[in-house]
Amino acid sequence: VFLGGDYPMSPPQLGGKYFIGDFDGKNFTAESGARRLGGNHFVGSSINHMPDNRQIWMGWKWLRDEGATGPWTGGPLTLPVELSLERDPENKIVLHYRPAKELQARR
């Protein structure tokens, strides 16, 4: 999975996108077109190869409105989520993300 953000951040491009494909260590080859992430995620950081084989991601939320420091103020990171590839009702492989299990103790 390759995650990326759209720029400029204005409708209808608002939010991030992802591609499913193959990575050979140097090149990524997409097997599908761009798909939208939910919400207004722009980019993020991932933690790969966890001991239990989970993929953790913290997205970066885009703040569109003018803020205290001007027309672009960046945004906060999201809570950590676990990424997985799953099949949707139409049997297409899609990216799912759910709150990381470590957050359970914080509820």
Side-chain angles (χ1 to χ4, degrees):
V1 173
F2 175 82
L3 296 164
D6 282 334
Y7 192 83
M9 291 295 289
S10 59
Q13 293 85 17
L14 182 62
K17 59 188 172 188
Y18 71 95
F19 300 85
I20 296 174
D22 290 312
F23 181 64
D24 65 9
K26 186 176 180 180
N27 298 302
F28 179 82
T29 304
E31 295 176 357
S32 66
R35 299 176 186 180
R36 288 270 160 230
L37 288 172
N40 65 345
H41 292 96
F42 180 52
V43 293
S45 296
S46 63
I47 303 166
N48 300 317
H49 310 295
M50 304 256 313
D52 55 2
N53 205 30
R54 292 181 298 146
Q55 308 296 311
I56 304 295
W57 186 64
M58 290 180 65
W60 185 59
K61 301 293 274 184
W62 181 267
L63 298 178
R64 290 179 40 203
D65 298 329
E66 198 160 317
T69 59
W72 180 83
T73 59
L77 288 173
T78 66
L79 293 173
V81 293
E82 296 179 25
L83 299 177
S84 63
L85 292 174
E86 300 177 16
R87 294 203 179 267
D88 70 5
E90 298 173 0
N91 208 32
K92 294 179 184 175
I93 297 175
V94 295
L95 181 67
H96 280 259
Y97 49 95
R98 295 175 180 84
K101 67 182 182 180
E102 288 81 1
L103 296 173
Q104 190 80 12
R106 301 287 179 209
R107 292 183 186 170

